[in-house]
Amino acid sequence: MRHGRVRAANKRGTTPEPPRGARILVVGGGYVGMYTALRLQKKLKHELRSGAVEIVVITPDPYMTYQPFLPEAAAGSISPRHVVVPLRRVLDQCHVIVGEVVAVDHTKRSATYTTLASDEEGTGPAALPYDELVLAPGSISRTLPVPGLADHGIGFKTVEEAVGLRNHVIEQLDIASSTRDPAIRDAALTFVFVGGGYAGVEALGELEDMARYAAKYYHNVKPEDLKWILVEASDRILPEVGPEMGRYTIRELRGRNIDVRLETRLESCENRVAVLSDGSRFPTRTVVWTAGVKPSPLLAATDLPLNERGRLKCTAQLAVDGAPHAWGAGDAAAVPDVTAPGKECAPNAQHAVRQARTLAENIAASLRGQPLTDYEHAYVGSVASLGLHKGVAHVYGRKVKGYPAWFMHRVYHLSRVPTVNRKARVLTEWTLSGLFKREIVSLGSLEQPRAEFELAAGAVPPEDPSAPPSGSPKGSP
């Protein structure tokens, strides 16, 4: 077992700092980061107790988001707080730092990071030395230079975005119900989703289901008034479930009056008008962008080798190629697939969770001078939800659709969500949602919780550019 060096005393004869144990730095608290640290807690239990090993986790958020549940959180089937796992509770043997790593100098075994207190302290980024590095910052949304996207687009990768999108959709129903302007009503009831992968299809399916149900409580909005459009640049959707199930999904969505447009791109969404590559134009107040992901920008701020797609070059043992004591897995890593020579493991949750287990075991073996093992896992298939009681699945070569696929989707993800606490809470909410009606309340004010108090305290609200000049009576020219 390697240990940290004792720092030499200075010339004044001060006492040298005590030696520290081997520090394992885990960057990122997502699937790979959390599951790796969790497994290391078990594998290195004795070393952690004796102080021979220290595990530090630096993550921007104090929780891990179980992303497959985001569509259900957006639809209101699961409470948002139950799709996240608090890291401090789960990783009780680790030192969790809520902050952001901004650079890594692996040659010096040092990571530069900031915390929530960095700006308050005025000290700037801090440096943290380490002995073993697990780089798992995950990915961010892959956007394109589409005019208006930054101003009007909505992402769907975090729990905050899922809750915000739910509030936004219900708010559009309120707008449509109260306006007398047919153009505003049409734009409010038009929802454009860009991207035909898991995130886009599942989010669209769940939200369409929820909005159709909510429309029953509006006296002048009917479910058929809502216009849903799915835009996909390739010639199929849900490629993970295979061509046959992909075609079934298209038929299912179109049967629900959802406009599915293949081989089509979003050209612009300026001025709240979605312009597609086929020439179609849709006035809309909702453009949801789910067109893929790309590696975290942090990787470019390291001295570690990257491939042409900006992902870490890793070996089958999940070590960074040519960089001893550096490890990677998940979305940020290019890991060779030993079950399909010449290919890489897909950057999905199924591989990430299993890679984390092998990664933790290899780190523990490396510290103990034991041989490492290759990550090997054959892809068993995929499941996807298309709304309440609707889904598709392609598992172990078997194709399933409808209610059985939806049930398989729930069982699989319930088994994968970490901790018994979260499993019990999610199962309870599913049971209650089956016994009682959906919640259709928008809590959009949560996004600006101090707005009402600021107004009461005399804060001047931002000037409305459409308002008449100060001192002019309303309606004056």
Side-chain angles (χ1 to χ4, degrees), residues 27 101-104 133-139 294-307 309-313 320 327-334:
V27 179
V101 174
V102 295
V104 173
L133 172 68
V134 177
L135 195 55
S139 58
K294 62 182 180 180
S296 168
L298 169 62
L299 300 185
T302 72
D303 55 353
L304 297 171
L306 308 179
N307 69 359
R309 295 185 178 181
R311 299 167 69 192
L312 287 172
K313 289 183 179 179
V320 177
W327 311 80
D331 291 352

Side-chain angles (χ1 to χ4, degrees), residues 69-289:
F69 281 159
L70 289 184
E72 294 203 50
S77 299
I78 302 177
S79 173
R81 68 182 184 276
H82 295 156
V83 304
V84 298
V85 180
L87 295 178
R88 295 188 190 279
R89 179 186 297 175
V90 176
L91 306 178
D92 57 339
Q93 301 300 312
C94 301
H95 180 199
V96 177
I97 299 175
V98 177
E100 185 174 358
V101 174
V102 295
V104 173
D105 187 342
H106 190 63
T107 302
K108 297 180 180 179
R109 307 276 183 88
S110 177
T112 304
Y113 71 100
T114 60
T115 68
L116 297 176
S118 295
D119 291 339
E120 299 288 339
E121 296 171 344
T123 56
L128 182 71
Y130 61 81
D131 297 289
E132 302 286 338
L133 172 68
V134 177
L135 195 55
S139 58
I140 62 174
S141 296
R142 177 174 58 84
T143 58
L144 298 175
V146 176
L149 182 62
D151 297 323
H152 305 297
I154 303 172
F156 196 77
K157 192 164 174 32
T158 67
V159 67
E160 293 85 357
E161 288 175 329
V163 174
L165 182 56
R166 169 185 170 80
N167 293 334
H168 175 83
V169 169
I170 296 177
E171 185 180 83
Q172 301 316 300
L173 298 180
D174 291 330
I175 291 173
S177 176
S178 57
T179 184
R180 296 182 179 180
D181 188 326
I184 294 177
R185 175 186 170 89
D186 183 55
L189 296 180
T190 301
F191 306 92
V192 179
F193 284 69
V194 183
Y198 274 122
V201 172
E202 290 194 330
L204 172 59
E206 292 285 352
L207 284 166
E208 188 274 338
D209 219 8
M210 182 271 292
R212 184 160 26 87
Y213 174 83
K216 297 189 302 182
Y217 294 92
Y218 292 81
H219 70 283
N220 57 351
V221 177
K222 299 178 181 178
E224 52 267 28
D225 294 337
L226 279 65
K227 184 185 299 182
W228 299 83
I229 303 159
L230 177 63
V231 180
E232 168 56 39
S234 69
D235 61 351
R236 60 176 178 168
I237 64 173
L238 291 181
E240 298 87 352
V241 299
E244 182 180 339
M245 290 293 96
R247 289 191 294 269
Y248 166 80
T249 301
I250 293 175
R251 294 195 301 271
E252 166 69 21
L253 295 179
R254 286 175 174 167
R256 290 158 60 178
N257 203 29
I258 297 173
D259 186 354
V260 180
R261 302 199 174 207
L262 303 178
E263 298 182 284
T264 307
R265 298 179 305 278
L266 177 69
E267 298 285 352
S268 170
C269 57
E270 287 184 304
N271 302 317
R272 296 192 178 276
V273 177
V275 180
L276 307 185
S277 59
D278 60 6
S280 302
R281 299 171 62 89
F282 297 98
T284 178
R285 298 174 56 88
T286 308
V287 175
V288 183
W289 184 270

Side-chain angles (χ1 to χ4, degrees), residues 335-389:
V335 180
D337 188 348
V338 298
T339 65
K343 297 183 178 181
E344 296 176 353
C345 295
N348 57 36
Q350 185 177 142
H351 279 300
V353 172
R354 289 171 170 81
Q355 285 173 357
R357 181 183 182 91
T358 301
L359 176 54
E361 292 176 350
N362 279 348
I363 293 174
S366 176
L367 292 173
R368 294 167 177 167
Q370 299 172 350
L372 309 184
T373 58
D374 289 348
Y375 169 72
E376 182 176 357
H377 171 69
Y379 189 63
V380 299
S382 301
V383 291
S385 170
L386 305 178
L388 189 63
H389 300 159

